[in-house]
Amino acid sequence: MPELPEVEITCRGISQILPCEITKIIVRESQLRWRVPKELSLLPITKIISIQRRAKYILIHTASGTLIIHLGMSGRLNIVDKYTAVKKHDHIDFILNNHKILRYTDSRRFGSVHWVKQNPLDHPLLIDLGPEPLTEEFNANYLMNALQNKKQAIKLAIMNQNIVVGVGNIYANEALFSAKINPLRPAHSLTPMECKLLVKEIKKTLYHAIEAGGTTLKDFLSPEGNFGYFALKLLVYGRENEPCVVCKNLLTSCKLGQRATVFCKHCQQ
DNA sequence: AAAGACACCTGTCCGC
DNA sequence: TGCGGACAGGTGTCTT
């Protein structure tokens, strides 16, 4: 489900529970992508200090350590009333002191929950991540440099979290369409002008998606239960064999790294 | 060293 | 209606 905009919407949503304390953590299913640490169930009452997003990770800083949460493909964090019935894939409850529960739900269990006492950014899963796309650090010069000698397709390169974080399959397709760049182009073949345009379109696409509350394809809702309206604005993703919004030729699809890739052969060179 | 395939898991949809 | 197969928002690890 979640790329950067959906994770950002999730972070903003759960930030509204502050100020509060986690009084107890109930782990019903500990086998996620990695085993949820046992010490979570034994955690003493701890105050949530702040909530931060890094790439597609949610960092919940508490007085005694940091929870690192990744939503995988189907993960969700919802704020629910403390008497809300537990459903099939509700794996973890973070019980709060304000009559609410922060509930982690994940049907495919590709997500993960980690607990660290040191700087979460030093965690092995986070330490090699590339720059945040919505910062000035991600600019045309940086991208041009990062793509040097990369023969792989440009779409795979921008989905590589070591090059730039947060861009997944939907937004890679969308940003490349907006930048009029063919997703199959070798990464190193982009000109400085194209890098500049692609950076601009990645930022714009992510920014608009956040504004729209993310993309709801099947089951993404904000922690408060709101729909993500960016699905209505998708120009290529999920629209194979439909007419291009610009030139009306039918959109082409292919597989790239086993992921659906949709583009306009005519507009994207 | 880099690129590609595979694995993890469940739900849904489509064609027969 | 039932069943098999393909596919889905991610990413670490294994194989070439």
Side-chain angles (χ1 to χ4, degrees):
Chain A
M1 148 205 323
E3 300 182 36
L4 184 146
E6 293 74 37
V7 178
E8 179 66 27
I9 293 298
T10 299
C11 281
R12 290 183 189 183
I14 63 180
S15 293
Q16 293 177 20
I17 62 179
L18 295 178
C20 71
E21 293 176 345
I22 299 173
T23 58
K24 194 178 177 191
I25 300 178
I26 298 174
V27 180
R28 292 187 201 83
E29 169 62 72
S30 61
Q31 197 53 63
L32 303 183
R33 171 130 206 221
W34 286 282
R35 193 157 209 96
V36 176
K38 289 212 164 57
E39 61 180 308
L40 273 195
S41 316
L42 307 170
L43 197 71
I45 294 175
T46 184
K47 184 175 190 233
I48 298 180
I49 308 291
S50 62
I51 293 167
Q52 176 196 2
R53 180 189 58 72
R54 169 66 175 127
K56 297 173 193 169
Y57 291 92
I58 297 161
L59 309 179
I60 301 181
H61 299 283
T62 81
S64 48
T66 303
L67 285 161
I68 304 177
I69 301 176
H70 195 290
L71 301 176
M73 287 280 261
S74 54
R76 263 184 294 165
L77 274 173
N78 288 109
I79 302 165
V80 299
D81 185 85
K82 71 186 208 182
Y83 296 116
T84 306
V86 172
K87 296 202 291 295
K88 190 170 180 186
H89 299 293
D90 295 341
H91 303 313
I92 304 176
D93 277 358
F94 301 90
I95 314 279
L96 309 176
N97 65 335
N98 57 6
H99 309 288
K100 303 268 188 196
I101 296 173
L102 186 60
R103 178 163 285 173
Y104 178 83
T105 305
D106 186 357
S107 59
R108 295 178 75 180
R109 283 186 274 129
F110 287 171
S112 59
V113 176
H114 312 263
W115 171 252
V116 295
K117 302 231 174 184
Q118 74 284 17
N119 185 351
L121 302 181
D122 291 336
H123 189 280
L125 292 172
L126 281 77
I127 193 139
D128 290 324
L129 290 171
E132 287 289 330
L134 298 178
T135 63
E136 174 51 31
E137 201 186 342
F138 180 60
N139 58 43
N141 276 339
Y142 166 81
L143 185 62
M144 190 70 194
N145 224 17
L147 299 183
Q148 276 210 341
N149 306 322
K150 288 236 173 268
K151 291 180 193 159
Q152 69 177 166
I154 182 60
K155 176 171 177 245
L156 295 176
I158 59 173
M159 289 176 69
N160 179 341
Q161 303 297 298
N162 297 321
I163 293 180
V164 59
V165 303
V167 180
N169 198 35
I170 294 179
Y171 300 112
N173 278 304
E174 294 298 312
L176 285 164
F177 175 77
S178 299
K180 301 187 187 294
I181 295 170
N182 187 310
L184 302 166
R185 287 261 304 277
H188 65 71
S189 74
L190 268 66
T191 64
M193 282 306 287
E194 287 175 322
C195 282
K196 190 175 176 188
L197 183 58
L198 183 53
V199 165
K200 188 175 119 192
E201 295 302 333
I202 287 173
K203 288 175 191 275
K204 206 195 280 182
T205 305
L206 295 174
Y207 179 74
H208 287 329
I210 293 170
E211 272 197 323
T215 298
T216 300
L217 289 183
K218 292 181 177 171
D219 50 10
F220 172 76
L221 297 174
S222 75
E224 309 95 315
N226 297 321
F227 190 87
Y229 290 96
F230 199 72
L232 306 173
K233 298 185 180 177
L234 295 175
L235 302 177
V236 288
Y237 182 86
R239 299 192 63 243
E240 54 271 30
N241 299 322
E242 291 179 36
C244 167
V245 295
V246 174
C247 74
K248 312 299 178 204
N249 287 299
L250 298 189
L251 297 173
T252 306
S253 72
C254 67
K255 286 272 182 187
L256 209 41
Q258 287 129 276
R259 314 302 298 275
T261 302
V262 188
F263 62 104
C264 176
K265 269 185 179 167
H266 182 257
C267 295
Q268 292 173 261
Q269 298 298 318

